[in-house]
Amino acid sequence: MTTEATAHGGVRDHVFTTDLVPSEGRRGYWRQALSQAFGAVDVSAPQDVYSGTVRTTSLGRLRAVTVEGDAVALRRSRRTGTGVGGEESVVLHLLEAGAARVEQDGRECALRLGDIFVSDTTSPLRLDLPRSFRIKSLVMPRQTLGLRDSGVRRITALPFGPDTSLGGLLCPFITRLADDAAAFLPHTREVMALNAVELFGTLAGERLGGTRAHAQEEPGTLLLKVQAFIDEELADPDLSPAHIARAHHISLRYLHKLFRAEGVTVSRWILQRRLEACRRDLLRHQMKDLTIAAVAHQRGFASAAHFSRSFRAAYGVSPSEWRAAQQSSPGRPADGSAS
């Protein structure tokens, strides 16, 4: 496979283009290039014409991807164990040019220009692109999103139009990441990636919250509400499963059942969310004068030592080492702003 890479600000764009491949080898090449973007797929095209380009840029564990080309149909006929890069990923797509029809998890929909839709790299997929197209995408490891199979399966292949409030916000956001990510400063890339995860969480919450008339009776929606409540209450050091269950008028046993279905305990989820919040806080200019202990305390950690141990276990470095590395990044914005 021929790969062309161009450097921008220390980050490399990886470009796969059929322009460099003889006609007899284009089908296999294009299949491999598209599998890099969407997980393992097969491809077909009118009269065996395979023409297009895939450009990817790394944003930490996330990737910004732009795919454009002639008419093509993508197929994944069975569930696979892993997706792009060996990870189970969720992909947020923006249809920027052309037309498309997507089918996944028992749903099928036609997409208009500017529509956003979600796909899962590990599940059977049908994506028809009947004419020249351009799709810009964010590939996000599912582990970073706090979503498991049950939640992801309920939001795939559902269009989210640019005329909606979140669609109007996400369209330019995805476009900017896909177009300019390679030129961002290291600190900016980190913040933008974190923002992408948070925005997707908002999108998922709105979509899941609107799928049932009686949302509180639906376990998946209730779980999202509980998780949102946890995020709002992270500063409370006394936040506990019992407190969460009382606030939602459910039994402690049922609360544990909700999280057990997602493969995580309630306490572990609280810890993960506190660590993620602290990691973001350590980037923020307005918190640069706070000690590590003060940042941890604001997110509900009663012990600075416990926070440091947990942070190192999660990210491989201590909080102070990670903050210092970010502050010493070349070209860091003068105001250090991060939101």
Side-chain angles (χ1 to χ4, degrees):
M1 177 179 290
T2 304
T3 303
E4 176 184 307
T6 56
H8 297 279
V11 176
R12 297 184 73 81
D13 270 358
H14 294 281
V15 180
F16 303 82
T17 175
T18 56
D19 294 343
L20 306 178
V21 180
S23 58
E24 64 272 14
R26 285 190 171 188
R27 182 180 186 277
Y29 179 89
W30 195 217
R31 181 178 63 248
Q32 293 182 57
L34 290 170
S35 294
Q36 290 289 322
F38 300 119
V41 292
D42 199 4
V43 302
S44 61
Q47 301 177 345
D48 290 334
V49 175
Y50 300 92
S51 178
T53 300
V54 177
R55 178 169 57 86
T56 67
T57 305
S58 175
L59 292 167
R61 293 189 63 193
L62 278 66
R63 291 186 301 118
V65 180
T66 298
V67 180
E68 54 187 330
D70 295 332
V72 69
L74 311 185
R75 300 289 185 273
R76 186 186 305 118
S77 60
R78 61 183 178 83
R79 182 175 179 84
T80 56
T82 57
V84 179
E87 288 189 294
E88 295 189 353
S89 299
V90 176
V91 188
L92 194 59
H93 306 274
L94 167 63
L95 180 64
E96 196 173 66
R101 179 173 293 274
V102 62
E103 181 178 352
Q104 193 168 45
D105 296 317
R107 283 179 298 276
E108 182 177 0
C109 72
L111 300 163
R112 303 173 301 163
L113 287 182
D115 276 352
I116 291 170
F117 67 101
V118 177
S119 71
D120 175 10
T121 62
T122 65
S123 295
L125 171 74
R126 178 187 180 108
L127 179 60
D128 293 322
L129 299 153
R131 58 178 183 266
S132 296
F133 70 93
R134 183 170 59 254
I135 292 178
K136 293 179 178 177
S137 308
L138 298 179
V139 181
M140 301 174 284
R142 189 183 296 180
Q143 189 178 27
T144 68
L145 301 173
L147 289 174
R148 297 297 188 269
D149 283 353
S150 58
V152 172
R153 283 196 301 267
R154 291 171 54 209
I155 58 177
T156 53
L158 289 171
F160 202 81
D163 53 342
T164 63
S165 57
L166 274 177
L169 174 65
L170 284 166
C171 285
F173 186 85
I174 294 173
T175 299
R176 180 75 187 279
L177 274 179
D179 289 348
D180 301 335
F184 290 158
L185 299 169
H187 169 75
T188 305
R189 286 194 301 273
E190 178 76 21
V191 172
M192 294 292 277
L194 293 171
N195 285 342
V197 172
E198 292 181 349
L199 278 173
F200 179 79
T202 303
L203 169 63
E206 179 169 305
R207 179 63 73 187
L208 290 172
T211 55
R212 296 290 183 93
H214 303 289
Q216 292 183 353
E217 297 178 5
E218 210 289 319
T221 303
L222 177 58
L223 177 64
L224 285 173
K225 291 185 175 182
V226 169
Q227 291 171 341
F229 175 82
I230 290 172
D231 284 349
E232 293 172 358
E233 300 295 323
L234 287 179
D236 182 2
D238 296 322
L239 182 64
S240 66
H243 174 67
I244 296 167
R246 285 194 302 270
H248 290 83
H249 309 289
I250 59 177
S251 69
L252 184 59
R253 180 179 180 182
Y254 186 58
L255 175 68
H256 285 304
K257 181 179 179 180
L258 288 175
F259 279 83
R260 186 164 58 248
E262 300 299 303
V264 66
T265 66
V266 182
S267 296
R268 183 64 183 173
W269 179 268
I270 295 172
L271 176 61
Q272 289 173 350
R273 298 302 289 170
R274 279 180 168 149
L275 288 170
E276 290 164 7
C278 287
R279 188 167 180 256
R280 291 192 298 270
D281 290 346
L282 289 169
L283 285 174
R284 294 193 166 104
H285 176 76
Q286 58 267 39
M287 295 189 180
K288 68 182 180 65
D289 294 327
L290 292 182
T291 65
I292 298 295
V295 171
H297 178 73
Q298 289 189 356
R299 293 298 184 174
F301 282 97
S303 164
H306 174 232
F307 168 62
S308 293
R309 288 194 302 270
S310 301
F311 193 97
R312 183 181 288 276
Y315 303 118
V317 295
S318 71
S320 57
E321 290 169 341
W322 192 81
R323 175 189 253 182
Q326 301 306 308
Q327 291 176 340
S328 63
S329 295
R332 182 182 173 88
D335 64 358
S337 58
S339 58

